[in-house]
Amino acid sequence: MTYQNLTSEIKENILYVTINREKSLNALNRDTLNELADVVVFANENNEVKGVIVTGAGEKAFVAGADIKEFSDYNAKQGEELARKGQEHVFNAIENSSKPFIAAINGFALGGGLELAMACHIRIAADNAKMGLPEVSLGLIPGYGGTQRLTQLVGKGKAIELITTAGMIDAIEAEKIGLVNHTVPLADLMSKAKEILDLIKQRAPLAIAAAIKSVNASVNAKEGYETEIKSFGKCFNTADFKEGVSAFLEKRKPIFDGK
Ligand code: CAA
């Protein structure tokens, strides 16, 4: 498989996927999402693959979010479509994959980046990781399932605090609240992820798939995801969104009017 925005290789039955847009801190643009969607299909269909490790290129970022530059002039309809398509083909597809996905978080995991990590079945954070859902500082909300999966992982109170303050937490705090499974030194990140998949690899594949399906069924809240998609789209028609994105691109603080 050759991709423009990802690297992927199979070693010892593990598919290693690296988001490879280091200059943009591995932000998820449309092409990267399309390639990720392909990789999920490939992982599901390929018998050699027993599990997947997803990480980001470089040492600064796992993924710093959806690509803000790409959606800066979107309207509500385009915003809604972005969220719906992304959720269906990438984030839900990962969560519903019969193969276990581990996110190896090697730096910033923000917005769509944290949402990608949360769609994976297990999260390992390096000690330099910083996590958050900062969309409200752009006049947006998370659109790739973040309002739902963060709430499932850490509970409603912590989720609302993290989302509404646009705060960033480090790996230790993330482990404390249940957002990540383990925190390790950056140098040990990939070996820790591999260690877990090496255990899973020895178990019965059909039982693994059934376990993932059953655990997912315990937190299936379709209405929540639909509310998020529609609300995310509506944000694109606000003056606050225009201000938030302009401020990001101009590297200044936004001034919001609530309009
Ligand atoms: N989209 C597009 N480009 C991004 C990006 C993103 N999400 N995050 C970083 N970049 C780009 C920057 O624009 C910059 O590009 P230039 O060199 O061309 O200026 C480059 O990556 C390096 O970033 P910074 O100079 O900003 O690096 P920093 O060390 O000063 O700051 C950071 C790092 C705190 C992660 C900062 O880049 C940042 O805040 N990024 C945006 C995080 C964010 O808001 N993510 C949510 C996106 S919206 C979303 O994800 C919606 C959704 O749920 C669907």
Side-chain angles (χ1 to χ4, degrees):
M1 295 170 293
T2 315
Y3 295 113
Q4 302 302 313
N5 305 283
L6 306 177
T7 63
S8 73
E9 67 170 325
I10 303 174
K11 274 190 287 184
E12 295 174 44
N13 300 104
I14 296 174
L15 177 65
Y16 291 82
V17 177
T18 304
I19 319 264
N20 196 18
R21 298 185 72 223
E22 206 178 330
K23 280 197 185 131
S24 300
L25 303 186
N26 304 319
L28 299 173
N29 63 359
R30 200 177 305 116
D31 290 344
T32 309
L33 287 166
N34 286 339
E35 291 180 5
L36 270 172
D38 270 10
V39 158
V40 182
V41 172
F42 172 83
N44 278 330
E45 289 177 351
N46 190 307
N47 287 337
E48 202 188 331
V49 176
K50 304 289 182 211
V52 183
I53 298 176
V54 181
T55 194
E59 292 193 356
K60 187 167 171 182
F62 172 71
V63 169
D67 192 314
I68 298 167
K69 291 163 191 165
E70 198 174 65
F71 64 53
S72 60
D73 62 351
Y74 275 18
N75 60 29
K77 188 163 172 273
Q78 291 168 306
E80 188 177 319
E81 216 172 271
L82 179 79
R84 191 179 300 285
K85 215 173 145 214
Q87 288 199 20
E88 190 179 330
H89 296 293
V90 180
F91 298 81
N92 296 355
I94 289 175
E95 183 170 71
N96 294 322
S97 169
S98 55
K99 312 282 172 79
F101 276 65
I102 297 188
I105 306 171
N106 57 319
F108 288 112
L110 301 174
L114 183 57
E115 292 174 295
L116 177 64
M118 291 193 295
C120 291
H121 304 105
I122 294 171
R123 281 152 295 287
I124 317 290
D127 51 9
N128 70 332
K130 291 266 189 305
M131 285 156 268
L133 293 176
E135 284 88 345
V136 294
S137 52
L138 296 166
L140 283 176
I141 64 164
Y144 289 145
T147 62
Q148 305 302 295
R149 294 193 179 96
L150 185 64
T151 307
Q152 291 159 13
L153 286 165
V154 307
K156 190 171 151 185
K158 286 278 180 200
I160 289 189
E161 182 181 339
L162 260 176
I163 293 169
T164 57
T165 60
M168 244 190 251
I169 59 172
D170 63 18
I172 304 284
E173 176 70 10
E175 187 179 342
K176 199 172 100 193
I177 65 173
L179 179 54
V180 302
N181 299 54
H182 304 278
T183 301
V184 294
L186 179 60
D188 300 336
L189 181 64
M190 298 309 280
S191 57
K192 180 68 187 175
K194 179 178 181 299
E195 181 189 309
I196 294 175
L197 279 184
D198 281 344
L199 282 178
I200 297 175
K201 258 161 50 179
Q202 299 169 43
R203 318 301 180 213
L206 295 177
I208 299 294
I212 291 173
K213 192 174 170 188
S214 303
V215 172
N216 284 345
S218 76
V219 287
N220 193 350
K222 210 158 181 263
E223 196 190 322
Y225 289 94
E226 190 56 31
T227 300
E228 181 187 283
I229 289 169
K230 294 245 163 70
S231 309
F232 177 78
K234 279 185 189 154
C235 291
F236 282 79
N237 273 0
T238 65
D240 282 349
F241 166 69
K242 309 270 179 294
E243 167 62 8
V245 168
S246 304
F248 175 78
L249 297 175
E250 292 159 18
K251 299 188 188 283
R252 62 170 173 85
K253 273 194 172 338
I255 302 165
F256 293 123
D257 283 336
K259 288 181 188 143

